[in-house]
């Protein structure tokens, strides 16, 4: 098969790395891709992930059999609709179905219609009304920009004072642009957070696995929310009985509900959940694509061929009995630029990538590039984004994978390099 992956980050590097191993692959393309993936796939840096017309044209020109869409923006903009209209099989939901992620207000109303458990909430288009609501609540809450804000448009507010600041930043200072014209104010859920993944063709489901992300910038879940500072899989909080509840109360109702409302969801459903003390799940958010950085450990852990699974989902031919095979554990530690998720410098030369020892040679350690580019002399990589690299390792246990990942993380350097030291600590403490 000729396959085209859309995107350029760490998640896409992991998908490309995994798809490149498929027995069914004939040729792999990625648009725009990045220098870090150039050894695995033909990159098309001139075709940006949001340029829908250029992507359709590229897919036609290369006679692509399957397009796999990484990021959410092109999905909410209708990329999958355009590709399918052109007769090109596509893994990823329609714009209508992508609203599950693209609009928090849509997701909340959908969950209410289908009795899917989630945090209590209220939606505001006027700052004054939002401020008044916060004063009336008088308890911790979470203030969210309604639109897409790359995982950063969420403020955890232990007190009303913090909530007022967040509302001002979103609605008045417009820190997230149009995404903050509408804000959602939610009840603060207590518990342990987990990401759960299922692949669906619109009616049938094949479950993947659970992973745990680390959203806050600093150790101990302190600091601001980021796009994700590291992840690991499996997540021990998802026991068999918790998984059963996730499927019965969330995943199946979502797939049934989307189909019954006339916009079947096809692609990967990624549910962000809070699991409370008695193991009951509540939805924090839906995403309509693979998680970043969760995909990095998921791909390293996955033993089955990914391509037939994505292809079957895209064609509406998923076999529900498909059991995905997994290795024991994998961990990803993100190396970020100093200052991220706020302002940061780029263009810092990265050292140590070629010297990662036997783990890299055996394939137990893979460095996925998120925000890098080649230096002007072409001899090395330099930083080009907030999240720079995902140092990802597998092992016979989370502890072993963790050790491998951190050993490598220490060896890779650039000015301002920052990473969390407690990725997977929750699993190790159990
Ligand atoms: P979101 O973009 O909605 O997933 O929010 C980003 C992060 O903020 C989540 O991954 C959680 O860590 C946290 N968060 C969001 N909503 C809530 C909530 N209602 N209660 C507790 N934590 C939340
Ligand atoms: N890791 C969270 C996300 O991809 O949204």
């Amino acid at each position: 098969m000729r396959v085209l992956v859309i995107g350029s980050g760490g998640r896409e590097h992991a998908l490309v790395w995994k798809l490149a191993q498929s027995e069914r692959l004939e040729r792999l393309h990625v648009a725009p891709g990045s220098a870090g993936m150039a050894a695995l796939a033909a990159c098309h840096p001139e075709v940006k992930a949001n340029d829908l017309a250029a992507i359709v044209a590229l897919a036609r020109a290369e006679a692509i059999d399957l397009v796999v869409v990484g990021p959410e923006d092109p999905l909410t903009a209708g990329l999958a609709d355009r590709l399918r209209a052109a007769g090109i099989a596509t893994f990823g939901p329609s714009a209508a179905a992508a609203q599950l992620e693209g609009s928090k207000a849509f997701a909340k109303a959908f969950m209410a219609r289908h009795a899917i458990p989630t945090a209590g909430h209220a939606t505001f288009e006027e700052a004054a009304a939002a401020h008044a609501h916060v004063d009336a609540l008088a308890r911790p809450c979470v203030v969210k920009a309604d639109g897409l804000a790359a995982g950063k448009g969420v403020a955890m507010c232990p007190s009303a004072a913090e909530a007022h600041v967040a509302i001002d930043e979103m609605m008045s200072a417009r820190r997230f642009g149009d995404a903050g014209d509408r804000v959602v104010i939610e009840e603060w859920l207590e518990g342990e957070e987990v990401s759960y993944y299922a692949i669906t063709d619109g009616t049938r489901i094949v479950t993947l696995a659970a992973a745990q992300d680390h959203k806050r910038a600093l150790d101990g879940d302190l600091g601001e929310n980021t796009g994700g500072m590291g992840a690991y899989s499996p997540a021990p909080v998802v026991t068999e009985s918790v998984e059963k509840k996730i499927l019965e109360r969330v995943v199946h109702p979502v797939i049934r509900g989307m189909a019954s409302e006339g916009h079947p969801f096809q692609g990967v459903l990624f549910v962000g959940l809070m699991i409370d003390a008695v193991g009951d799940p509540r939805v924090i958010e839906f995403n309509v694509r693979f998680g970043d950085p969760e995909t990095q450990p998921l791909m390293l852990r996955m033993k089955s061929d990914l391509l037939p699974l994505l292809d079957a989902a895209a064609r509406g031919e998923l076999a529900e009995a498909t059991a995905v095979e997994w290795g024991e554990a994998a961990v990803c530690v993100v190396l970020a630029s100093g200052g991220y998720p706020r302002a940061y410098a780029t263009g810092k030369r990265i050292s140590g990538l070629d010297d990662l020892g036997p783990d890299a040679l055996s394939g137990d350690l893979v460095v996925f590039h998120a925000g890098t580019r080649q230096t002007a002399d072409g001899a090395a990589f330099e930083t080009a984004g907030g999240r720079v690299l995902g140092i990802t390792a597998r092992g016979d246990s989370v502890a072993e994978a963790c050790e491998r990942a951190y050993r490598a993380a220490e060896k890779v350097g650039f000015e301002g390099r920052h990473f969390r030291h407690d990725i997977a600590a929750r699993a190790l403490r159990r």
Side-chain angles (χ1 to χ4, degrees):
M1 288 181 68
R2 289 174 299 269
V3 179
L4 168 62
V5 174
I6 305 301
S8 61
R11 161 186 53 208
E12 287 78 17
H13 190 180
L15 290 170
V16 160
W17 175 85
K18 182 68 183 160
L19 290 169
Q21 298 167 40
S22 174
E23 283 180 6
R24 285 183 46 195
L25 186 75
E26 182 187 324
R27 188 157 165 73
L28 187 56
H29 295 266
V30 55
S34 75
M37 347 173 172
L40 298 170
C43 293
H44 298 270
E46 70 291 354
V47 177
K48 304 301 176 209
N50 287 330
D51 189 344
L52 310 195
I55 292 169
V56 175
L58 174 64
R60 281 213 175 101
E62 297 290 348
I64 295 297
D65 300 302
L66 175 71
V67 177
V68 178
V69 185
E72 62 275 19
D73 291 350
L75 291 168
T76 55
L79 176 59
D81 309 78
R82 296 270 287 266
L83 286 162
R84 285 198 273 268
I88 300 159
T90 303
F91 181 80
S94 65
Q99 288 181 90
L100 271 182
E101 174 168 3
S103 167
K104 292 190 190 290
F106 173 89
K108 282 296 195 181
F110 174 83
M111 285 188 273
R113 287 197 290 281
H114 297 279
I116 295 167
T118 186
H121 80 289
T123 303
F124 298 93
E125 284 168 18
E126 306 283 344
H131 286 298
H133 178 74
V134 162
D135 286 328
L137 267 183
R139 58 187 143 84
C141 68
V142 183
V143 180
K144 303 187 174 187
D146 178 56
L148 292 175
K152 297 167 202 94
V154 173
M156 309 294 296
C157 305
S159 72
E162 282 143 312
H164 290 308
V165 171
I167 293 165
D168 283 337
E169 275 199 339
M170 288 177 199
M171 303 195 88
S172 310
R174 300 178 57 81
R175 181 171 164 213
F176 304 108
D178 293 348
D181 283 348
R182 193 148 53 153
V183 300
V184 176
I185 300 181
E186 281 186 13
E187 165 195 4
W188 180 314
L189 297 176
E190 298 288 350
E192 191 169 336
E193 198 175 337
V194 78
S195 304
Y196 191 83
Y197 293 87
I199 286 182
T200 170
D201 63 2
T203 46
R204 285 158 296 231
I205 293 166
V206 170
T207 61
L208 289 183
Q212 209 157 36
D213 187 11
H214 298 66
K215 301 255 186 180
R216 302 292 200 98
L218 307 175
D219 289 4
D221 289 331
L222 299 173
E224 287 192 276
N225 265 322
T226 69
M229 293 297 293
Y232 70 99
S233 176
V237 64
V238 180
T239 58
E240 220 172 283
S241 85
V242 169
E243 181 165 25
K244 195 159 166 270
K245 290 184 205 173
I246 294 171
L247 289 169
E248 279 172 7
R249 297 179 193 178
V250 180
V251 176
H252 286 292
V254 169
I255 301 310
R256 272 200 306 269
M258 292 301 282
S260 74
E261 291 188 9
H263 25 73
F265 183 93
Q266 183 262 86
V268 59
L269 179 69
F270 155 9
V271 195
L273 295 154
M274 194 68 87
I275 311 296
D276 72 12
V278 296
D280 284 335
R282 285 210 278 172
V283 175
I284 295 173
E285 64 165 352
F286 294 117
N287 295 299
V288 301
R289 35 86 195 167
F290 282 103
D292 193 341
E294 293 97 317
T295 303
Q296 289 82 320
L298 281 178
M299 290 303 111
L300 218 61
R301 240 194 101 200
M302 190 174 186
K303 289 185 166 166
S304 312
D305 192 344
L306 178 66
L307 180 49
L309 201 58
L310 303 189
D311 185 47
R315 289 173 205 283
E317 295 164 2
L318 202 59
E320 211 149 29
T322 311
V324 179
E325 258 192 275
W326 299 96
E328 290 306 320
V331 173
C332 170
V333 176
V334 170
L335 306 190
S337 296
Y340 173 80
R342 300 255 170 170
Y344 53 81
T346 59
K348 307 295 180 192
R349 201 180 179 90
I350 302 169
S351 64
L353 283 174
D354 296 327
D355 187 22
L356 294 173
D359 289 340
L361 294 174
S362 69
D364 289 333
L365 176 84
V366 184
V367 177
F368 294 119
H369 289 239
T372 72
R373 61 181 172 236
Q374 266 183 322
T375 51
D377 61 9
F381 286 100
E382 63 183 25
T383 66
R387 292 189 294 178
V388 177
L389 296 164
I391 311 279
T392 312
R394 63 184 160 208
D396 291 335
S397 63
V398 172
E400 187 184 44
C402 222
E403 253 175 56
R404 283 199 172 115
Y406 275 112
R407 218 182 300 137
E410 294 291 353
K411 289 188 191 159
V412 177
F414 52 85
E415 191 189 318
R417 181 198 68 179
H418 160 72
F419 61 85
R420 276 183 63 162
H421 301 84
D422 61 349
I423 303 302
R426 274 208 189 77
L428 298 176
R429 273 201 304 269
R430 272 173 190 257

